[in-house]
Amino acid sequence: MLAEFGYGILLVTFLLTLYCISAALLGALNKSLALVESARRAMFLTFPLLSLSALALVALLLRGDFNVQFVYEVTSRSMPIYLKITAWWGGQAGSLLFWSWLMSAFTALAAMRRWDRDQEFLPWVLVVSGGTLAFFLALNVFFENPFARLYRLPDGTIGGYTFQPALSTPVYPSDGRGLNPLLRHPGMIIHPPMLYLGFVAFVIPYAFAIAALVTGRTDDRWIRITRRWSLWAWLFLSLGLVLGGRWAYDVLGWGGYWAWDPVEIAAFMPWLTGTAFLHSVMIQEKRGMLKQWNMVLIILTYSLVIFGTFLTRSGVLSSVHSFAQSAIGPAFFVFIGVTFALSVGLLIHRWGDLRAEAEMKSLLSREALFLLNNLLFISILIVCFWGVIFPLISELVTGQKVTVGPPFYERANAPLFAALMLLMGVAPLSAWGHSTVQTLGRALWKPAVGALLITLLLYFTYTRNAIALIGFFLVALVVLVAVYEFWRGARARQRAQQENFFQALIRLIARNRRRYGGYIIHLSMMMMAIGILGIELFQTETQGTLGVGEELSLQGYRLVYRDVARWDDLAGGVNHTRAVVELYRGERYLTTLAPRIDFYYDAQQNMTIPGVRSTLADDVYVLLLYWEPVSAQGATFKLYVNPLVNWLWLGSLVFLLGVIVAAWPERDPEPASVRVPRSARQTSSAD
Amino acid sequence: MMRLMRLSWLILLLAALAVRPAWAQGPRPPTDDEVNAIARKLYCPVCENTPLDVCPTQACAQWRSLIRQMLAEGKTEQEIVQYFVDNYGARVLNEPPRQGFHWLAYLVPPLAILVGVAIVVQAFRAMKRPGPAAPTARSDQEALLDEYLLRLEEELRRQR
């Protein structure tokens, strides 16, 4: 009954969303406030309804009702309770419901804001976000019903059906197949919700952008309303990416965190356009330029969000991530095509209204450098997009499948990332409006000399690798520039306000959160860059089969094999094989590690859990690859030394801090528009 | 059944013997690291997007021992890679081969980026119309201080 209840609610929510869209459309066209208000209330209602439907699914998962196909596919009796709950997004149908649930939460939140000043946006925001919600609900209702039950047909085949087929008998399996072991990890429990939150939250700025295009109110209002939405969306998306990397590092057992897998790139692409968008909206706010371009960026971001979900969910690419494959591909394809075409059509229609209010004065002005930053982000997007779709094109044209792997992306993207870092160092020192070589040079020479000195020091003490040295120079430059900016601002405040330096620093940041939050984010990116440079350029590995007491050495570390044991954890349905190895640096004992192999009986799958010794300097990462009690030849280990990789994870914590600083709601009402008018004309968009 | 098993053992033994002279020719049997160095450049032919050196499946373990065997026979890296391409297609390579249609993989991104550069240059020119002469007399220091700091200090001055 519970399954039918859940499906019924899903169906009702779908119809309600359709009503919401129609009422909003009619209300907007007939200028009927009552209809729009009715649509708004309908939108509110989707969230509690979908929560009920989701609760029904979670209850089925917890109850272990294996007659329900989804429950059978993602849970088993031996799984702990928290995994049974998070199995909700461990499979196709459930994760689509999860997407819809988050989407309805965000749309309801957006609908709850005070609309008095933006009445004309409301119906169109409801149409766009409601349309997206309706699409995802339709996928659940028509293609991927999470509440479908298992039936055996007369010919013996078993399948999941929403309604019992004629002459079929229901099937009640005694146990489920269990969640893919790779997904039974804390990182995998938080990673998808974060990524989805990021994806879904970007729909809201897009909805406002489309509302601005439809209504012709193409000033900065839509950007000001959605500024925080975009920042939070960007935060969730970024954290989702980092958590995914951490999960790969801990679970996939290849010693790395990012493999340029198409599905990783699927989530990375909206991040690229989203990051470019966050930067370029500043130019619109400050200078009234790049309005057309901001529209392009938010439309691209939305399309890439849907495209990313399509890539991961449709199984169009078979990769390590694509656990789920289904027949929803064509639906996605049509939806992406239609929304993209409509958005671009609208944009072309309003193109003339979106002309710049100010002129570009100098190649070195901050707006020019931001334009360059956007160009670089889009270039990286081009490389990534082409790398992802080329194998599909190749298969279509030549019938031959090819792989586009890390060398392709690294060769193309490394110089682009380096150029981005250089910009990150230079742009904060350039002025809005105009900068000259002299002004910029005068501000830049000190940090540049400092960065050179640091690079020289690294040359003599750490590495002679040219690429690494260029990378470290750029990192040092960005860090020094950001620190210099903090110091300069705090000093100015200290002198003027007679505060001590730290007081001045804290108040400076608190009074201008977006700017200094941005610099904290720059610093965090550089910490991550240190980690990425370290593991990408200096990772070493070795593999060997050892008898007890024998050792494997790498980079001055010695790994001594001591013991191995294998046992069954009957309650968890897992067989553990755990080796005990001692780690030495030269003769000095460091620690004992326990890499292991877990075999999951329900899923019939192995998981390789590394033993890791983590420091700021490097990670020693040990995998137990193989051990058989019968052959007793010894155990096979793979040993990686990953220099500096911890900076990557630490950087993500600082990143979180930076975004919170930048996005935290201000106590004071929004300051008036601070755009410097070109003439005496005052901008009317002040609010 | 027993005979069949015995026969297969015999074949295996013979095969091992046949390989032996090749082993003896090389200075030493290939190490795991040498095998992995080649496997890393290849992709698993069955599980997509997984490099051969880290793929945990049984099939990949067999392909790695094939690499080991070929190394022991004195085959070069190039020959081994070619063997895999001949048998499993170009998808085992970590990049599209640089030939024929696949050149598009390498040519399209730079061309698209060049188009992007052209668009930006064009837009930049369009935005840089001759406007009122920019004030040039401002001191460098002042030009550098952005409006926030200026505003801040101005407000503070007023308060004092």
Side-chain angles (χ1 to χ4, degrees):
Chain A
M1 253 340 266
L2 200 51
E4 284 67 32
F5 172 76
Y7 183 73
I9 297 271
L10 210 55
L11 198 61
V12 168
T13 318
F14 175 63
L15 296 174
L16 185 72
T17 315
L18 290 185
Y19 166 75
C20 166
I21 301 169
S22 329
L25 262 177
L26 276 176
L29 296 177
N30 299 334
K31 306 232 179 320
S32 157
L33 279 180
L35 265 178
V36 175
E37 182 57 25
S38 166
R40 186 167 86 112
R41 293 193 181 169
M43 187 50 84
F44 281 145
L45 204 54
T46 58
F47 178 63
L49 280 177
L50 279 181
S51 300
L52 271 182
S53 183
L55 262 176
L57 184 64
V58 170
L60 288 169
L61 288 167
L62 282 174
R63 221 168 62 179
D65 197 334
F66 298 119
N67 171 236
V68 175
Q69 186 187 16
F70 183 72
V71 178
Y72 167 74
E73 278 169 0
V74 297
T75 59
S76 64
R77 290 188 187 286
S78 59
M79 272 163 56
I81 287 176
Y82 76 97
L83 277 180
K84 283 184 181 165
I85 297 173
T86 57
W88 175 10
W89 51 84
Q92 176 86 302
S95 71
L96 286 172
L97 177 62
F98 188 60
W99 218 104
S100 301
W101 182 67
L102 289 177
M103 185 74 230
S104 73
F106 274 68
T107 321
L109 242 151
M112 255 160 66
R113 67 182 295 280
R114 277 199 333 219
W115 285 91
D116 12 331
R117 278 187 299 176
D118 318 295
Q119 246 341 305
E120 69 266 47
F121 284 166
L122 176 58
W124 299 105
V125 168
L126 289 176
V127 167
V128 174
S129 46
T132 312
L133 178 60
F135 169 68
F136 276 90
L137 284 172
L139 292 180
N140 265 146
V141 169
F142 298 114
F143 301 105
E144 291 285 343
N145 176 13
F147 299 102
R149 291 184 184 274
L150 290 169
Y151 293 100
R152 178 179 282 111
L153 299 180
D155 64 357
T157 54
I158 297 178
Y161 296 93
T162 306
F163 304 103
Q164 181 168 10
L167 301 174
S168 65
T169 47
V171 180
Y172 297 94
S174 59
D175 199 356
R177 282 214 300 244
L179 193 62
N180 185 325
L182 293 174
L183 303 182
R184 301 181 194 187
H185 177 271
M188 219 355 124
I189 290 166
I190 325 169
H191 158 76
M194 283 291 163
L195 219 50
Y196 281 13
L197 274 173
F199 274 17
V200 167
F202 264 123
V203 175
I204 303 295
Y206 167 77
F208 274 91
I210 294 299
L213 285 178
V214 173
T215 57
R217 188 178 171 187
T218 48
D219 59 2
D220 309 342
R221 185 64 193 157
W222 73 273
I223 282 183
R224 288 180 190 283
I225 297 171
T226 58
R227 194 160 68 191
R228 291 224 161 71
W229 283 102
S230 317
L231 256 181
W232 288 112
W234 189 65
L235 170 71
F236 289 130
L237 192 51
S238 311
L239 287 183
L241 286 167
V242 172
L243 281 168
R246 180 74 216 200
W247 167 76
Y249 190 73
D250 286 349
V251 167
L252 291 187
W254 85 72
Y257 58 95
W258 182 264
W260 295 104
D261 181 274
V263 175
E264 293 167 346
I265 298 172
F268 186 51
M269 287 192 291
W271 186 88
L272 287 170
T273 50
T275 313
F277 177 71
L278 283 178
H279 284 93
S280 80
V281 290
M282 283 188 245
I283 312 182
Q284 179 165 348
E285 286 178 36
K286 295 261 182 195
R287 306 272 300 157
M289 301 160 95
L290 300 191
K291 291 178 181 179
Q292 299 149 338
W293 180 235
N294 287 330
M295 286 289 176
V296 172
L297 282 178
I298 195 67
I299 291 170
L300 269 180
T301 307
Y302 174 80
S303 293
L304 287 170
V305 159
I306 308 290
F307 183 64
T309 319
F310 162 67
L311 287 181
T312 43
R313 286 285 137 220
S314 69
V316 62
L317 320 151
S318 324
S319 79
V320 286
H321 288 63
S322 299
F323 302 108
Q325 309 210 346
S326 93
I328 58 178
F332 260 109
F333 211 73
V334 170
F335 184 74
I336 296 172
V338 169
T339 52
F340 189 71
L342 281 178
S343 313
V344 171
L346 264 175
L347 178 59
I348 292 170
H349 175 61
R350 295 284 178 199
W351 194 254
D353 300 346
L354 293 165
R355 259 190 262 285
E357 292 166 25
E359 68 196 74
M360 200 64 98
K361 286 207 183 92
S362 129
L363 249 176
L364 294 172
S365 65
R366 196 178 289 186
E367 52 267 35
L369 295 181
F370 270 36
L371 199 57
L372 208 54
N373 141 310
N374 276 231
L375 178 65
L376 288 169
F377 275 114
I378 295 301
S379 301
I380 298 172
L381 173 71
I382 290 170
V383 171
C384 290
F385 186 77
W386 187 244
V388 167
I389 62 164
F390 184 75
L392 309 178
I393 295 177
S394 165
E395 203 179 357
L396 276 176
V397 175
T398 66
Q400 192 185 21
K401 235 182 135 85
V402 290
T403 309
V404 178
F408 176 87
Y409 295 103
E410 282 163 6
R411 191 183 318 114
N413 285 339
L416 295 171
F417 277 118
L420 264 183
M421 285 163 76
L422 184 65
L423 270 187
M424 223 191 264
V426 176
L429 297 176
S430 73
W432 294 106
H434 71 107
S435 278
T436 64
V437 177
Q438 278 103 355
T439 58
L440 205 53
R442 200 162 297 186
L444 200 58
W445 77 268
K446 277 186 214 159
V449 168
L452 262 181
L453 286 176
I454 292 173
T455 313
L456 220 59
L457 190 72
L458 287 173
Y459 176 79
F460 287 114
T461 58
Y462 193 76
T463 177
R464 305 245 156 142
N465 180 324
I467 295 171
L469 287 171
I470 294 171
F472 286 131
F473 168 77
L474 291 168
V475 168
L477 181 72
V478 177
V479 170
L480 288 175
V481 165
V483 169
Y484 174 61
E485 282 290 295
F486 278 108
W487 182 82
R488 193 167 67 117
R491 286 286 295 182
R493 202 186 151 92
Q494 188 189 7
R495 270 198 308 271
Q497 193 88 333
Q498 267 96 44
E499 293 167 337
N500 76 43
F501 183 78
F502 288 102
Q503 251 176 344
L505 185 67
I506 299 291
R507 294 213 175 122
L508 177 82
I509 295 171
R511 289 294 294 274
N512 210 1
R513 297 209 183 105
R514 196 173 178 206
R515 176 194 178 97
Y516 290 99
Y519 289 147
I520 295 174
I521 294 170
H522 279 187
L523 285 174
S524 76
M525 289 287 164
M526 289 306 102
M527 291 173 73
M528 296 192 201
I530 291 174
I532 292 168
L533 283 168
I535 188 170
E536 291 298 327
L537 295 172
F538 302 119
Q539 183 182 50
T540 47
E541 62 168 82
T542 186
Q543 181 182 324
T545 303
L546 307 179
V548 171
E550 288 181 341
E551 63 179 57
L552 202 59
S553 55
L554 182 67
Q555 300 286 321
Y557 290 105
R558 293 192 303 123
L559 187 79
V560 184
Y561 171 38
R562 287 292 172 217
D563 194 13
V564 70
R566 173 173 287 178
W567 74 94
D568 266 333
D569 167 10
L570 288 176
V574 191
N575 175 276
H576 299 282
T577 307
R578 192 181 66 178
V580 177
V581 293
E582 286 170 357
L583 185 69
Y584 294 85
R585 173 103 207 168
E587 290 308 307
R588 190 162 58 90
Y589 167 81
L590 295 176
T591 185
T592 300
L593 298 174
R596 59 175 213 270
I597 300 171
D598 293 348
F599 179 76
Y600 286 81
Y601 288 110
D602 50 9
Q604 290 288 306
Q605 202 174 332
N606 267 332
M607 223 164 111
T608 315
I609 310 288
V612 184
R613 176 186 184 263
S614 235
T615 66
L616 278 184
D618 57 19
D619 270 17
V620 179
Y621 183 105
V622 190
L623 293 169
L624 172 62
L625 290 188
Y626 190 71
W627 178 72
E628 276 302 329
V630 191
S631 65
Q633 293 277 320
T636 306
F637 292 96
K638 197 167 197 176
L639 173 63
Y640 292 89
V641 174
N642 298 332
L644 301 174
V645 68
N646 257 312
W647 290 84
L648 179 56
W649 318 124
L650 283 177
S652 63
L653 294 180
V654 177
F655 173 85
L656 184 64
L657 174 77
V659 179
I660 289 175
V661 167
W664 200 261
E666 316 241 351
R667 236 176 310 147
D668 324 349
E670 265 183 31
S673 167
V674 287
R675 184 184 303 165
V676 187
R678 178 155 52 126
S679 59
R681 181 178 63 84
Q682 280 297 318
T683 46
S684 56
S685 66
D687 47 60
Chain B
M1 192 62 203
M2 275 309 278
R3 189 181 293 171
L4 197 69
M5 268 182 71
R6 223 173 283 155
L7 194 69
S8 56
W9 274 114
L10 195 70
I11 290 172
L12 267 180
L13 196 72
L14 278 174
L17 282 175
V19 173
R20 238 214 178 123
W23 278 70
Q25 281 166 16
R28 61 189 165 74
T31 66
D32 287 349
D33 289 345
E34 284 163 348
V35 173
N36 280 339
I38 294 175
R40 190 177 311 132
K41 292 176 186 157
L42 293 168
Y43 269 69
C44 169
V46 282
C47 16
E48 273 160 274
N49 291 308
T50 313
L52 194 54
D53 63 328
V54 294
C55 184
T57 62
Q58 203 58 43
C60 283
Q62 276 163 18
W63 274 308
R64 282 193 293 269
S65 33
L66 183 63
I67 295 178
R68 185 185 304 275
Q69 190 192 327
M70 292 175 88
L71 273 176
E73 286 164 6
K75 294 249 167 63
T76 64
E77 181 183 319
Q78 215 180 348
E79 285 168 333
I80 298 174
V81 169
Q82 195 54 47
Y83 169 84
F84 275 87
V85 173
D86 292 343
N87 282 280
Y88 303 104
R91 54 179 291 193
V92 299
L93 298 170
N94 59 10
E95 282 189 295
R98 287 180 176 73
Q99 60 193 29
F101 176 79
H102 294 132
W103 269 110
L104 277 182
Y106 301 94
L107 293 178
V108 167
L111 288 177
I113 292 173
L114 274 182
V115 170
V117 171
I119 292 174
V120 167
V121 168
Q122 193 61 39
F124 195 82
R125 283 221 185 109
M127 282 188 275
K128 200 176 171 179
R129 286 161 305 203
T136 46
R138 288 170 74 183
S139 77
D140 296 338
Q141 189 57 37
E142 198 182 336
L144 269 179
L145 280 175
D146 54 76
E147 67 217 49
Y148 171 71
L149 280 179
L150 282 177
R151 246 190 339 154
L152 179 81
E153 288 188 73
E154 205 179 281
E155 270 174 37
L156 293 171
R157 232 175 278 135
R158 247 185 282 138
Q159 277 182 9
R160 226 180 284 164

